[in-house]
Amino acid sequence: MDWIAMATGFILILMGLYGALTERNILRIIVSFTVANTGVNLVLVAVGYMHGRTAPILDKTVPVAEAVARIIDPVPQALVLTAIVIGLGVTAMMLTYAYKLYEEKGTLDVSKCRDLKW
Amino acid sequence: MVSPMYIIAAGLGGAFLLGLLPNKWRTIPYAITLAILGIMAWIAGSWLYAFAVQGAASVEIFTAGTQPPFAINFRVGLAEASLALLTTLVGLHSALYMKDTLFKQGRQAMAVLLIFIMALCGVIFTRDVFNLFVFMELVVIATAGLVLLSADRRALGAGIKYLIVSQLVSILLLVGIIFLYHATGTLNIDDMAAAQVNLLQGGAMAFFLLFVAVLAELKPFPANGWGLDIYESAHPAFSAIFSTATGGATIYAADKMLQIGGAEWLPAATAIGIVTFVAANIFALVQNNDRRLLGYSSVAQIGLLLTVAGQRDILGDAYYYVAGGILLAHAVSKAGLFWLSGLVAQRELTDWAALRSQPVLVFAFATFLALLVGLPPFPGFYAKWDLAHHLAAEGRLWLLGLILFGALVEAAYLFRWFGYVIKREARENGLAWQSVKADVAFSAVIVAWLLAYLWGHLSGHGNLLHAVPLLFALLFLPLDWLPAKLKNVLAISGLLYWFYLNYPSYDPLQLIFAAVMLPGGALILLASFQTQKRRVGFYPAAMLMFAGLAMLIVAKSSFDFFAAWELLTVGSYFLILRGKHSEPHALSYLVFSLGGAFLILAGFAIAAQGAPDFKLAALAQVAQPYAPWVFAMLAIGFMTKTAAVGVHIWLPGAHAEAETDVSPMVSGILLKAGLFGLFMLLITMGKQQLYGVELTYVMLWIGAISALIGNLMAIFQEDAKRLLAYSSIGQMGYAVFGLALMNHLGWLMALMFVINHYIYKSMLFLSVGGIAKRTGTRLMYRMGGLITLMPLSFIAVMIGIIAMSGVPPLSGFGGRWIFYNAIMTAEYRLPMVIVFLAGPIAFLYLFRLIHTIFLGQLKDEMRKIKEAPFWIVLPQMIFVVALMVFALVPGLALRKVDLYMTQFFAGNGHLNWEGLTISSDFGYWNPVAIMVIIGVIFMTLFLWLLFVNRKAQPVKQFNIVFSGERPFRPETTHFAWNFFAPYRKALGFLTQPLVTIFWETVSELLHSAADILRRFYTGNGQTYAIHLLGFVIIVYMLWMGGKP
Amino acid sequence: MMEALVEFNWMRIPWALLTVFIVFNYGFLMTALIQKIAARVGRRHGIPIWQNYIDLIKNYALRTSITHGVMFYLGPVFRLSGGVGLLLFVPTIYGSDMFSNFSFAGDLILALYFVFFGTLGMALGAAESGHPYSAIGITRGLSQMTAAELPFALAVFAVALQYQTLSITDIVAAQQGGVLNWTLFTNPFAVAAAMMSFLGSMMRPPFDVVLAPQEIPIGPPTEYHSSFLAMMQTNRALFPIAKIVVYMNLFFGGAASWPVLFLKVFLIYMVSAFVGVVFPRFRVEQSIRWFLIWAVPLGILAVVLV
Amino acid sequence: MIRNFAVFLLLLGLGAIFLHLLDGYVPASELNQTARYYAEHTAQDLGAANIVTAIIVTYRGLDTLGEVTVLFLASTIIGMVLAQGSKRQRALQRKLPASGELLTTGSRLLVPLILLFGAYVFVNGHLTPGGGFQGGAIIASAALLVLLTDPLKRFSHKLIALVESISGLVFVGVGVLGMLLAGGFLDNRILPTGEFGALFSAGAIPLIYSFVGLKVGAEFTSMLTNLAETEKS
């Protein structure tokens, strides 16, 4: 049953990529990429999941002694946090470019800036 | 030693510090940025010093006080330290370069630049996969930010494409990393490598994603449209960092990935790398935007580095030497070229002609091109040499072939560009000169020459920059401001002294070649006294050629031979390029010569079979399956230099369009380098069989056909210098024929040709050059009747053509006599037919030369021209005397070498020289007797005629029996145009330019293929992302197919 | 150098002059005779036998002569010294030391290449005259000569291979003893090729486009007159004989005595005359094609089969 | 049309790759070596209750430093690019209609609470779930709420930049201190790890994480304000 999370993550990535590669409007591309990033983050977290275990917080319910048997893998959790932040950074950059594109070319259509080719 | 972690800390601290400063400040933030970049460079430099000089082992730096697999660790070794130094130095210089842009943008741009450099150092140092991902993302965002600094509005589009593609890459990377973590349980690169990732379930696929994502950052062939757009539109200083530092860091990251993947992934990396290298170079053929061309070139070089990384298993400990050589050569040249592009106002390749207003920049440009193409003495040369040898030792010949083909294409479009710089007319405000930018660019030149010295020092073959002739040639660069006459004296004395110095060490064969090349060169240089100006650039090029020749003769190992070969090629290219219309011809000369040189490189590499220092003499012991191939490659390589038929089309243009005193040098001396190569080859390898065909027999036919074709084509030329050029092809065909006879007299004949051809061809080129200088034209039908006005030139040409046609009294006959004796014992007779036909044909174009120029009717506009300048006539007269002496006493030169040659053919067929008669096994020849008899008969008849016609009355020009009417004008009565019309009807079909058409279609094919395929980059960001996805899927399917 | 001068047998010079004198007179008479035969074939009476002597005396007697420059002056000198040189470098009478002339100086190849000495000199001289017709004549002469020389060179090569020597005296020595071991019979293809090339070089009608008396009045020597023309006419008599002597030595067993030489030279000369009267004149490209199609295969055959 | 079909095909290929990954994936029955090490050593080495925070701040501190730099970079570039573009000094002349009643009073009530909650989250990062980034995001949401209610509100960029830079410098400073005093760069044992579970425990983790929280909050706010100011008033 625990593969559902990962499967949905993969499906989200595919949907996000499809949107990003077929949409013309840059804002839609950015949103699609965000969806894809969410999918990736979901996969990241799903990899760390172990059946029947709890969050890696050592408090009264999970004393230090039984930590090894009770908690799930904390490393993907740490990685996903960094991945989210980096996803945000890149999305912010894309938004800036979207703004500049509109200011420069008066359109949000990505296929309009094709003057650098061949 | 300061811990490398401070590089990261300094970068970040500086960036945050800049955040604190008020917006208005400019100079202080700029000073801080430079200071921090300086500190980072100093740290990296000190570590490099520790590793390189003190030989310290690579050091591990832990973070968070815990062992690596559980925390991120850095490793700094020799490679990392040098890459970090490269990154920080390029960053510092670019910051200096971008002073005005940074001031306009303010402190934020400086902070972004600092973080960019810091992130690159992070990518180099980190040993943790996820940390590598974080630093790579930092590089992505910093790049997206810095791209917008560019003044070019199109940078925006480039930035969007870059971000779209990098989003895709980061998705693949993340999925790859997490599954790899799941499979191996660790994020540390070294542990992953130890965990043998392919065996664990799911690990191979995860590694595939990671590997493909990192490769995508390297701009592989199908998916590199976005990279090219950034190069084209970004600020040149940023492009410099992007191509050198980002390229270097990412290739090092890919190298770390390969350590994880292990040997199974090397072929994949090699395949992707070589496809990128060749495709990018071919595409660059049709570019005319300078920065986009540099983009293609960077992508190609990174592809080459990936190929080298893919060969790390067979390169062993030479891996860092080769990869380092190519990477540093690419980095320094690209940085320099991008910085130069900032100085040029317009973006077309031809606009770079504006560089000519500053000769220093031209020198910088030449240095960067030589560095990039890998010409001696730069690191690329040593690296390519070792790479070729390791590939050949492993038998990966198709890879070696592809690399050499790509390098040849690259040399073609780069030196075509150099031709534009030297030859195209420059716009007046073409150069946006700023001293800061120029100094930064020039710093790259200094680093380039330092690298050349360093790589020479490290190479096992001896440092090229220690070779005295090369140093002597380079000495002329700083001396270029001296007046031409002084430099000429220095050059001549240098040549003579070097000949005198090495005289005792030459064996008779080398002595003849050395005599032709060094004192012979000095003799021709006499003609260079006649220029008044400083002649900037002539003497370094000429002396480079002579240095190459001097080193070629005494080369013992294959490396020295090949280095000398490339030196003389480069020197002669720069020499030929000086001619007024010589640009396309010099380019075709260089491409053919480099093609030949690369064949020679491949030949030596296969012959060496992995031996580190391969002696030329060892060519004789090459193992059987390779020997014929080595022979074939080396022979073709040498024959491109002697312009055998098939590879001869560069010669007419190159020799005809060169300057007056350059043509004899190139034609009389340079062609002999090819002959010397063939001599060396035949002495060592002798007869070889390839698929049952005797290779020397094929050479025999090639020599015969080029003799025929060369002479035939010479007949129909209207331009005097082209006529002489084609005749050189014919004469060289004779010499190759003589060599291919493989008997004592055949070789002696070839040597006779070396001497004869040098003397009369230099003489004829000098006289024609003198005439062209006086009459202002080289077209023969526009001259005529110059015998009265230019008697000395006439005498030189007459003696020259008598010698060349082989008529008895003069030395040409000696060559023919030895030729006849040689073919008596030759085992093949059919090629003789063609050579016999080629012999008399020489008469035709010789007569045409002397008739149309000197005899016949004098034109009106040429009535008042004077004799050729003194300094051009003097060498000709010396040559006349030399011809006479050589005709009278051929033994002077040939006796010693005749004895020397006996050792090659077991003593049979040698001449005996007692008394005045020279006799062979078949015939005899007494030059003195012939000269005396003919002289006596001639003088008696001449005196008799003088006595009878003592009252002969000289008449005016038109006083000829013209059946009663008066000749209208000199033009109508001087029979010169289309001189051999009937001959063209009879044998004209032989002179169809088939070879020219063949080579033109080849280049046309390449250009049109490039032009069609480059449409592949439509410019749409999403299309580029689709290309990347396609690339991933294709590599996946190939990999899946490949897996057992 | 000096010891070579001492042992040089000075008597050779007068003997050589004697050879030249004999051949000179024989040439004058024989060429006139051949002219007469050709005329008689055309049902004309033809010139008297001593016509050449009359022309010679007339030309030398002319008082006025003009010169177009140094090379023009040297043209005939080159021409005649070429003819005389060729004669002297080849041993005329086999076996007699008197008449082996200066053949010690060089062998067959010297003779083969010395033929061009005269042609080259003539070409330079005629070109200096500035007359377009002479230039056209020279181009035709040189073009035709290249094709004509090829079969001869192949024949010579075949003969040299057959007798394994390049010295003419040895070749003649090898052909002594009976007609059957002349090269004509031992190597017929070579002789056939050589005789075809002989036609090309004798300036007789099928291949006389060089002089082309009607079209470009006598081609190269158009501008020459008086003593220059005289010198050229002496060469026109001397040079064919010298060439035929080479052919005779190589292919027809040489001549042991003067009468044998006179007979053989006449017969060989008759071959070209015989062909000349029958065939019309070839254009230059036709003659080149003729040589390459007919004569050269024979030469190749000779070389390959020897 | 062909493009969409091509994309579809390629994504099918990618889907195949993911499928290959998916069915090759076997959930781990028990912790692998890295996770086990963290589970056993976090408590007594670093004294942090929240293992994820321990990994983020100390064990993989460099990543976090990288992240923070990413944010700093993003906000700097946005500042640079947008400032470079339009000149924003023109006064906001037109008056927007006042936003709805519910929104103004709601925001006036909620903003301080959100700020407090945000501060709580990043101060207790090492004890309870959450940490610097989550807290910073919450603070930024407060700023977003303010902007929603009053789009023409202008925050002082100087203050934001100041907070951002100081917290960045502190982070780097602590890192360097870790190298000088304790085991290595970013080692948190420069301060006493205190007794387990208390507020002031786990060495420098709370210090680092709170500054990270401040920095992230400041950067998000600066991004929001920069993007907001691009509104053509």
Side-chain angles (χ1 to χ4, degrees), chain B residues 45-359:
Chain B
S46 59
W47 277 100
L48 181 63
Y49 179 78
F51 292 123
V53 176
Q54 290 150 357
S58 63
V59 72
E60 301 276 337
I61 297 109
F62 304 141
T63 60
T66 37
Q67 286 309 322
F70 314 113
I72 300 165
N73 69 329
F74 276 9
R75 171 182 302 152
V76 177
L78 181 66
E80 288 88 353
S82 45
L83 273 173
L85 181 65
L86 171 75
T87 310
T88 43
L89 271 183
V90 170
L92 182 64
H93 282 79
S94 285
L96 283 168
Y97 192 93
M98 291 206 281
K99 184 167 185 291
D100 42 12
T101 322
L102 290 178
F103 267 59
K104 187 158 65 70
Q105 292 296 346
R107 59 174 175 74
Q108 285 144 335
M110 300 173 198
V112 171
L113 181 65
L114 271 184
I115 293 176
F116 182 42
I117 300 296
M118 178 279 293
L120 283 171
C121 292
V123 166
I124 294 167
F125 291 138
T126 180
R127 299 303 293 182
D128 184 281
V129 170
F130 192 76
N131 192 244
L132 181 68
F133 162 71
V134 169
F135 278 123
M136 282 171 101
E137 283 308 313
L138 257 174
V139 165
V140 163
I141 296 172
T143 312
L146 288 173
V147 157
L148 289 175
L149 290 184
S150 156
D152 184 340
R153 294 309 339 123
R154 301 175 302 178
L156 184 69
I160 292 174
K161 293 170 198 165
Y162 182 57
L163 280 174
I164 292 174
V165 166
S166 51
Q167 285 262 38
L168 197 61
V169 166
S170 63
I171 291 168
L172 294 176
L173 209 54
L174 274 177
V175 171
I177 289 172
I178 197 64
F179 274 90
L180 211 54
Y181 167 71
H182 179 73
T184 58
T186 167
L187 283 170
N188 189 290
I189 290 178
D190 305 321
D191 294 1
M192 278 188 189
Q196 262 317 332
V197 80
N198 309 359
L199 316 174
L200 302 169
Q201 37 77 22
M205 173 49 80
F207 175 76
F208 163 75
L209 278 178
L210 176 72
F211 183 59
V212 144
V214 169
L215 278 195
E217 281 293 327
L218 281 173
K219 308 185 262 299
F221 165 59
N224 49 15
W226 50 275
L228 299 165
D229 293 352
I230 288 184
Y231 281 125
E232 186 172 358
S233 54
H235 190 286
F238 170 74
S239 303
I241 307 176
F242 189 61
S243 85
T244 53
T246 318
T250 328
I251 196 77
Y252 194 67
D255 183 55
K256 292 184 207 172
M257 293 306 116
L258 281 175
Q259 281 166 8
I260 302 174
E264 197 225 346
W265 287 91
L266 295 182
T270 318
I272 295 169
I274 196 64
V275 164
T276 314
F277 178 61
V278 175
N281 274 332
I282 290 179
F283 280 20
L285 273 175
V286 286
Q287 298 299 330
N288 49 28
N289 178 301
D290 56 354
R291 289 186 185 151
R292 194 166 181 88
L293 184 121
L294 286 178
Y296 272 106
S297 175
S298 320
V299 164
Q301 288 294 325
I302 300 290
L304 181 61
L305 278 167
L306 190 59
T307 322
V308 169
Q311 299 303 318
R312 67 203 319 268
D313 51 356
I314 59 168
L315 284 175
D317 55 7
Y319 172 58
Y320 281 119
Y321 181 76
V322 171
I326 295 177
L327 177 70
L328 288 176
H330 153 68
V332 172
S333 56
K334 279 300 171 327
L337 286 171
F338 272 114
W339 288 331
L340 276 183
S341 78
L343 291 173
V344 179
Q346 277 78 23
R347 293 274 63 78
E348 288 297 315
L349 290 183
T350 45
D351 296 329
W352 280 56
L355 288 182
R356 279 208 304 277
S357 55
Q358 299 280 356

Side-chain angles (χ1 to χ4, degrees), chain B residues 828-893:
Chain B
Y828 305 103
R829 295 207 184 108
L830 224 49
M832 308 309 166
V833 177
I834 296 182
V835 174
F836 285 149
L837 178 61
I841 290 178
F843 262 91
L844 299 184
Y845 62 75
L846 291 175
F847 177 71
R848 173 171 193 167
L849 183 75
I850 197 161
H851 169 73
T852 48
I853 294 176
F854 290 101
L855 309 173
Q857 299 292 338
L858 180 63
K859 304 292 187 302
D860 297 336
E861 68 267 16
M862 301 208 179
R863 295 229 182 268
K864 278 182 291 309
I865 58 169
K866 300 190 299 299
E867 175 54 278
F870 165 73
W871 282 109
I872 290 188
V873 170
L874 175 67
Q876 289 173 34
M877 289 311 123
I878 296 171
F879 282 132
V880 166
V881 168
L883 256 183
M884 287 303 178
V885 165
F886 190 55
L888 266 176
V889 188
L892 202 66

Side-chain angles (χ1 to χ4, degrees), chain B residues 3 5-6 8-10 12-20 22 61-67 69-72 74 104-105 107-109 111-112 115-116 118 126 128-132 134-135 137-138 141-142 144-146 148-149 153 168 171-172 175 179 181-182 184-187 191 201-202 205-206 208-209 1020 1022-1023 1026-1027 1029-1030 1032-1033 1036 1039-1040, chain D residues 3-4 6-7 9-18 20-22 24-28 32-38 45-46 55 57-81 83-84 157-158 161-172 176 179-180 182-189 215 219:
Chain B
S3 150
M5 193 55 77
Y6 278 102
I8 308 294
L12 282 177
F16 294 137
L17 193 66
L18 288 178
L20 280 178
I61 297 109
F62 304 141
T63 60
T66 37
Q67 286 309 322
F70 314 113
I72 300 165
F74 276 9
K104 187 158 65 70
Q105 292 296 346
R107 59 174 175 74
Q108 285 144 335
V112 171
I115 293 176
F116 182 42
M118 178 279 293
T126 180
D128 184 281
V129 170
F130 192 76
N131 192 244
L132 181 68
V134 169
F135 278 123
E137 283 308 313
L138 257 174
I141 296 172
L146 288 173
L148 289 175
L149 290 184
R153 294 309 339 123
L168 197 61
I171 291 168
L172 294 176
V175 171
F179 274 90
Y181 167 71
H182 179 73
T184 58
T186 167
L187 283 170
D191 294 1
Q201 37 77 22
M205 173 49 80
F208 163 75
L209 278 178
N1020 180 331
Q1022 284 178 324
T1023 322
I1026 293 170
H1027 291 163
L1029 209 55
V1032 167
I1033 304 303
Y1036 168 64
W1039 175 67
M1040 281 303 285
Chain D
R3 166 201 288 279
N4 296 2
V7 167
L9 270 185
L10 288 177
L11 288 180
L12 270 188
L14 198 60
I17 294 178
F18 290 153
H20 184 119
L21 275 175
L22 199 62
Y25 170 72
V26 171
N32 56 34
Q33 51 151 334
T34 329
R36 173 173 296 103
Y37 176 87
Y38 288 143
D45 275 3
L46 305 183
I55 297 173
V57 174
T58 314
Y59 287 123
R60 301 192 66 81
L62 208 58
D63 281 353
T64 320
L65 190 65
E67 270 168 67
V68 163
T69 329
V70 163
L71 284 179
F72 169 79
L73 204 58
S75 68
T76 322
I77 291 173
I78 289 169
M80 176 176 81
V81 165
Q84 177 200 18
H157 285 282
K158 266 191 63 52
L162 208 64
V163 164
E164 209 179 348
S165 305
I166 289 170
S167 43
L169 279 175
V170 161
F171 193 175
V172 173
V176 168
M179 194 138 70
L180 300 177
F185 192 62
L186 293 174
D187 184 347
N188 77 332
R189 280 176 283 260
K215 183 168 181 30
E219 263 139 20

Side-chain angles (χ1 to χ4, degrees), chain B residues 583-849:
Chain B
E583 182 212 322
H585 309 294
L587 178 67
S588 82
Y589 165 69
L590 187 75
V591 170
F592 272 102
S593 301
L594 279 183
F598 286 154
L599 265 177
I600 294 169
L601 169 64
F604 278 140
I606 295 169
Q609 281 309 320
D613 190 8
F614 182 73
K615 286 280 174 278
L616 287 180
L619 269 172
Q621 289 85 23
V622 172
Q624 216 353 291
Y626 299 117
W629 288 105
V630 167
F631 183 91
M633 283 187 188
L634 290 179
I636 295 168
F638 295 135
M639 281 200 272
T640 47
K641 192 62 90 183
T642 62
V645 72
V647 281
H648 65 287
I649 57 169
W650 56 269
L651 190 132
H655 290 186
E657 298 305 334
E659 283 175 332
T660 317
D661 52 3
V662 170
S663 290
M665 246 186 254
V666 169
S667 171
I669 294 173
L670 195 64
L671 293 178
K672 309 305 177 299
L675 277 185
F676 180 75
L678 282 174
F679 253 109
M680 180 278 296
L681 180 68
L682 289 171
I683 288 174
T684 47
M685 295 193 84
K687 287 187 180 304
Q688 293 294 337
Q689 290 266 346
L690 186 61
Y691 301 125
V693 171
E694 183 56 62
L695 286 181
T696 43
Y697 184 50
V698 172
M699 241 166 90
L700 209 62
W701 275 104
I702 292 174
I705 293 167
S706 28
L708 179 66
I709 295 297
N711 288 346
L712 259 179
M713 300 265 245
I715 300 172
F716 304 119
Q717 297 302 325
E718 297 294 343
D719 176 335
K721 275 191 152 185
R722 276 186 181 275
L723 183 140
L724 288 176
Y726 274 110
S727 95
S728 289
I729 298 179
Q731 301 293 325
M732 280 302 117
Y734 254 98
V736 168
F737 181 83
L739 272 174
L741 283 174
M742 293 303 281
N743 59 23
H744 180 95
L745 288 176
W747 285 19
L748 202 63
M749 165 198 156
L751 267 177
M752 233 354 217
F753 260 93
V754 165
I755 302 164
N756 279 345
H757 183 260
Y758 159 71
I759 297 175
Y760 48 68
K761 193 44 61 69
S762 317
M763 182 159 61
L764 289 176
F765 259 118
L766 275 177
S767 50
V768 166
I771 294 159
K773 191 174 287 298
R774 286 300 187 217
T775 57
T777 171
R778 293 201 307 256
L779 296 177
M780 293 192 276
Y781 57 85
R782 294 193 22 223
M783 306 181 209
L786 294 178
I787 180 169
T788 48
L789 303 169
M790 305 177 81
L792 289 177
S793 298
F794 171 74
I795 290 167
V797 169
M798 192 175 76
I799 299 290
I801 69 166
I802 292 176
M804 204 159 155
S805 56
V807 171
L810 289 184
S811 62
F813 175 69
R816 291 301 195 303
W817 183 75
I818 295 178
F819 163 73
Y820 261 90
N821 283 298
I823 59 174
M824 290 296 286
T825 51
E827 65 268 24
Y828 305 103
R829 295 207 184 108
L830 224 49
M832 308 309 166
V833 177
I834 296 182
V835 174
F836 285 149
L837 178 61
I841 290 178
F843 262 91
L844 299 184
Y845 62 75
L846 291 175
F847 177 71
R848 173 171 193 167
L849 183 75

